[in-house]
Amino acid sequence: MPDNPLAAVDPWDLVAEDYAASTISVMQPFALRAVELAGLADRPVPPRVVDIAAGPGTLSLPAAEYAERVEALDFSAPMIAQLENAVRAAGLGNVAARVGDGQALPYPDAEFDAGFSMFGLMFFPDRPRGFAELFRVLRPGGVAVVSSWAPIDRSTWMQMSWRALGSADPDIRPPAPNPEGLENPEVFEREMRTAGFERVSVVPHTVDMIFADAEELLARLTRGIAPLELMRRSIGDGAMAARIEAMRSYLTEHYRPGSPLTTTAYLGVGYK
């Protein structure tokens, strides 16, 4: 698989604090849908849960409401620090977090009843290995839910973001469709089945986001966003500041306050 700069830990380390503060409203609806698809609330015995590429705990915290225990893992130590802060603030005693590699999980075979990876496994350098490891640590009958963004043409939020960036630099183009990525439901299903999962389904889920004004939208598009951190490191602080100002002007002109923008993800569900 081709190298992906977002598979490296550095950009996630650098955006961890802002990511935890600013992306929760975008990510959490998908996490709640994943918890629902896994049926955590319906189990007669509280399940043991693993959350891979857990970030600041967007999935781990709501899963903890229903779980005996949640083991959360991420390769970014600052992300794990944010997660631990959130666990303490929530007063949760059943969430354990550690730094680790989702492609080499530090857990025994058949340890968990449910496993998740929300917008994390999609970036793994070796996705098949990530799926295989998730399968390995599930108990027979266990369920996995993995999420990936749908193509940009299914997200008016991402379209608006890339048009705003393009207004700052006409050489900036939105990402091309990637038929070999998990944004392709057929690839998504095939990779889960290859790892051993059965009864696999890939479920789309769309979230509406409404912003009070262009300034609020700009903050959501620019705070805690790893690709923009990579851009800033490439072009420098001054050039990045100029791009953000151009984005502000574009959004002020083109975003009608209070109008909804949508974003869609695919959630792959499979059973061991």
Side-chain angles (χ1 to χ4, degrees):
M1 292 182 182
D3 291 338
N4 184 335
L6 295 179
V9 69
D10 288 354
W12 301 104
D13 284 353
L14 291 168
V15 303
E17 186 173 354
D18 279 346
Y19 186 94
S22 67
T23 65
I24 186 76
S25 62
V26 176
M27 302 294 192
Q28 191 172 62
F30 298 105
L32 296 177
R33 179 61 175 145
V35 167
E36 180 183 12
L37 288 168
L40 298 191
D42 303 325
R43 293 173 179 252
V45 177
R48 292 179 61 85
V49 172
V50 64
D51 183 13
I52 307 304
T58 311
L59 182 286
S60 295
L61 270 67
E65 179 180 351
Y66 308 106
E68 173 194 339
R69 186 168 181 81
V70 176
E71 293 282 347
L73 178 139
D74 198 280
F75 71 168
S76 167
M79 284 288 188
I80 289 295
Q82 293 297 319
L83 191 157
E84 291 173 332
N85 289 341
V87 167
R88 283 192 294 270
L92 295 172
N94 63 338
V95 179
R98 68 168 80 179
V99 177
D101 182 357
Q103 299 163 122
L105 296 178
Y107 308 115
D109 294 354
E111 180 74 6
F112 301 101
D113 302 293
F116 300 87
S117 184
M118 303 304 295
F119 306 107
L121 198 155
M122 61 181 283
F123 291 125
F124 284 9
D126 188 345
R127 283 199 316 265
R129 183 62 183 166
F131 278 121
E133 279 290 273
L134 186 54
F135 183 83
R136 178 184 66 80
V137 301
L138 288 179
R139 295 171 177 167
V143 60
V145 184
V146 175
S147 68
S148 176
W149 296 117
I152 190 173
D153 63 7
R154 298 199 60 176
S155 171
T156 59
W157 177 61
M158 289 303 299
Q159 292 169 35
M160 177 73 76
S161 173
W162 283 100
R163 286 198 297 267
L165 271 170
S167 73
D169 183 342
D171 291 332
I172 293 175
R173 296 285 188 270
N178 179 11
E180 298 305 315
L182 297 187
E183 69 177 54
N184 181 342
E186 293 180 0
V187 170
F188 205 152
E189 180 175 347
R190 182 175 71 241
E191 291 191 4
M192 291 194 79
R193 290 191 183 279
T194 298
F197 289 101
E198 300 178 346
R199 291 188 286 148
V200 175
S201 58
V202 178
V203 182
H205 186 61
T206 299
V207 172
D208 289 344
M209 295 176 292
I210 296 175
F211 303 94
D213 53 28
E215 198 64 32
E216 182 181 352
L217 174 55
L218 178 70
R220 193 64 47 78
L221 293 175
T222 57
R223 287 191 62 200
I225 306 300
L228 289 190
E229 175 59 26
L230 291 173
M231 183 183 295
R232 183 195 65 77
R233 293 168 69 181
S234 173
I235 67 176
D237 290 341
M240 192 68 205
R243 286 188 178 178
I244 289 175
E245 283 305 311
M247 292 177 70
R248 177 179 283 109
S249 296
Y250 179 89
L251 295 173
T252 298
E253 180 178 354
H254 292 92
Y255 178 68
R256 181 166 57 85
S259 60
L261 296 172
T262 65
T263 190
T264 298
Y266 292 126
L267 291 92
V269 184
Y271 295 84
K272 183 170 182 178

